[in-house]
């Protein structure tokens, strides 16, 4: 039963950011087909943050009307909306309408807003629901949340979205004689021009979003069973994992507010076998430490959800569509890998988390620097440059994902409200990052785009 509960928690977690992660990894194809072009990632980032009205409303309800909010009902509504929006996106993503005299992918942007509303709201509803279960299941949930990026990345790799080649195309020169215009295709009247030609995807965008819809429905079904688990499965009153060393080592503190009968772990041992003062000491953090943890949460999420995603196209596309494709998909895979490492090698050391945050920020700074230098970044037209930008994006995502998971686990061990505020600070950091970047990209045009195959950069 414990393994089944872990499976349900994992599948449930995949629905948290599945839809938006799917849109991100599909961007290498979408930026070449939708009228927004290279601006599309920044549009997507600000739309996601506008959707924070959902978690803001939920957080205020938790604060001022805690008894009126039924988490189960909210989650059903949230995931159900995500399933419907994802299904509609499969058929309507390419429709455009004129706005202010220019074509815009209004259907895509509107449906993306609803998907964002779903995923952002999941941050303040899924985690509080998981707090009803044993802390071990929170880690499994985070693995599922990581898979919400890994699975779309695998689908995108299989699809081969956005791959392109540079080819020489013969262009004709028009020669006007009197009222007659003739097209010459001879060596004298024509010329070769290098153009970007995109390879057809192995399957369409419609199929891609249908597959995401199926996964969203699976998450809804998993939640249906998870919310109906027998009370004996809720590990707040008994120890079902005394023989599972790996999981026990991760469940280090008893639940706050659950009475003397609650079960937890300290250093891999049942809390009941540890002196009360020692267990309490393990679970206690000073005010300055709490401030530091919440600062890490806000900073990490501002970078991973707001600042860097806005300029990923400028950071990667100058190296070619293959580099962009691999950066988008492999960095999405780094998230669940970091969650798995957090499960096997957990560390609550705030010094280590601070160091990893600094390291991830350094990789993010490199990615930002390459975006600022677009369309002529370092080591362009070099295999080393292609490899470096992909590796930098993967390590940026991986290191900061580990920090996010461990910060969530630390706060989960404290109280339900600490986890709710974790989700709120997570969304606040993401919002700040997006709001800062949107005018820089779309209003002041500080980042320059260009066709990779026609770039004229100094050697």
């Amino acid at each position: 039963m414990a393994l089944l509960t872990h499976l349900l928690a994992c599948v449930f977690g995949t629905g948290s950011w599945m839809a938006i992660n799917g849109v991100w990894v599909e961007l290498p194809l979408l930026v070449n087909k939708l009228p927004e072009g290279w601006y599309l990632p920044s549009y997507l980032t600000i739309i996601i943050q506008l959707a924070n009205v959902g978690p803001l409303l939920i957080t205020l309800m938790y604060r001022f009307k805690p008894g009126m909010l039924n988490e189960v009902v909210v989650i059903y509504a949230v995931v159900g909306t995500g399933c419907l929006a994802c299904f509609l996106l499969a058929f309507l993503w390419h429709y455009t309408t004129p706005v202010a005299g220019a074509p815009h992918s209004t259907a895509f942007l509107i449906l993306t807003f609803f998907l964002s509303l779903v995923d952002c709201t999941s941050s303040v509803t899924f985690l509080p629901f998981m707090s009803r279960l044993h802390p071990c299941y929170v880690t499994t949930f985070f693995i599922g949340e990581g898979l919400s990026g890994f699975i779309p990345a695998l689908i995108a790799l299989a699809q081969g979205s956005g791959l392109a080649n540079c080819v020489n195309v013969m262009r004709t020169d028009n020669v006007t004689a009197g009222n007659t215009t003739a097209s010459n295709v001879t060596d004298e009247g024509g010329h070769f021009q290098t153009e970007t030609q995109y390879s057809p995807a192995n399957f369409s965008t419609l199929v891609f979003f249908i597959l995401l819809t199926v996964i969203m429905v699976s998450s809804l079904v998993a939640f249906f069973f998870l919310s109906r688990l027998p009370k004996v499965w809720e590990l707040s009153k008994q120890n079902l994992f005394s023989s599972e060393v790996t999981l026990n080592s991760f469940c280090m503190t008893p639940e706050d507010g659950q009475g003397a009968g609650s079960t937890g772990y300290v250093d891999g041992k049942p809390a009941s076998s540890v002196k009360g003062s020692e267990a309490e000491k393990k679970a206690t953090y000073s005010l300055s430490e709490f401030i530091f943890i919440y600062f890490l949460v806000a900073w990490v999420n501002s970078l991973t959800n707001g600042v860097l995603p806005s300029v990923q196209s400028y950071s990667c596309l100058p190296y070619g569509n293959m580099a962009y494709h691999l950066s988008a998909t492999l960095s999405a895979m780094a998230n669940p890998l970091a969650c798995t490492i957090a499960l096997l090698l957990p560390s609550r050391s705030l010094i280590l988390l601070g160091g990893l945050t600094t390291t991830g920020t350094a990789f993010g700074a490199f990615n930002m620097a390459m975006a600022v230098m677009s369309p002529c970044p370092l080591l362009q037209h070099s295999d080393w440059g292609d490899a470096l930008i992909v590796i930098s994006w993967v390590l940026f995502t991986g290191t900061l994902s580990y920090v996010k998971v461990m910060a969530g686990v630390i706060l989960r061990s404290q109280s339900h409200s600490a986890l709710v505020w974790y989700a709120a600070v997570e969304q606040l950091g993401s919002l700040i990052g997006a709001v800062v970047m949107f005018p820089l990209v779309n209003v002041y045009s500080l980042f320059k785009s260009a066709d990779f195959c026609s770039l004229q950069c100094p050697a």
Side-chain angles (χ1 to χ4, degrees), residues 219-236:
S219 176
L220 182 61
V221 172
F223 175 70
F224 174 81
F225 289 106
L226 197 63
S227 62
R228 283 163 173 73
L229 290 177
K231 292 296 181 181
V232 71
W233 289 18
E234 296 189 14
L235 300 185
S236 60

Side-chain angles (χ1 to χ4, degrees), residues 31 36-44 310 313-314 441-442 445 447:
V31 295
E36 289 77 11
W38 284 33
Y39 289 116
L40 191 59
S42 62
Y43 276 100
L44 183 59
S310 300
S313 56
Y314 298 93
V441 175
N442 296 279
S445 300
F447 302 90

